[in-house]
């Protein structure tokens, strides 16, 4: 049986992902800080670190989340 993800987690992931995409349009990945990302997403840093070890793990999550959409569009 498939386990459902808590709605709060889904909202946090979406807020962080949306904020990340906006920040990537403004600056390079190397220049984006976790604090800046959290401020833009209106998510506490503690919440970010509860789900991800650092911005690199978050970036990896974003890539793997986008892959199915990319392959579906081919």
């Amino acid at each position: 049986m498939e386990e459902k993800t808590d709605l709060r987690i889904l909202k946090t992931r979406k807020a962080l992902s949306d904020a990340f995409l906006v920040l990537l349009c403004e600056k390079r990945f190397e220049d984006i800080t976790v604090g800046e990302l959290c401020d833009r997403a209106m998510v506490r840093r503690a919440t970010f670190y509860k789900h991800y070890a650092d911005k690199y793990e978050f970036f990896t999550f974003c890539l793997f989340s986008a892959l199915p959409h990319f392959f579906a569009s081919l």
Side-chain angles (χ1 to χ4, degrees):
M1 187 169 168
E2 185 177 326
E3 187 175 322
K4 286 193 163 188
T5 304
D6 188 311
L7 184 59
R8 293 170 297 179
I9 294 172
L10 294 175
K11 287 180 178 181
T12 298
R13 287 178 180 168
K14 176 152 179 37
L16 287 168
S17 297
D18 291 348
F20 184 62
L21 290 175
V22 171
L23 284 169
L24 276 177
C25 291
E26 297 173 5
K27 53 177 59 179
R28 300 176 329 141
F29 173 77
E30 295 83 11
D31 298 330
I32 297 173
T33 65
V34 171
E36 188 176 33
L37 178 60
C38 290
D39 288 345
R40 186 71 62 106
M42 292 187 286
V43 172
R44 293 181 56 210
R45 286 174 62 98
T47 302
F48 178 90
Y49 286 115
K50 180 179 179 183
H51 298 281
Y52 309 102
D54 54 24
K55 73 177 187 176
Y56 302 100
E57 185 176 311
F58 172 71
F59 181 65
T60 302
F61 168 80
C62 289
L63 286 177
F64 280 105
S65 296
L67 281 177
H69 303 292
F70 173 76
F71 287 119
S73 68
L74 294 180

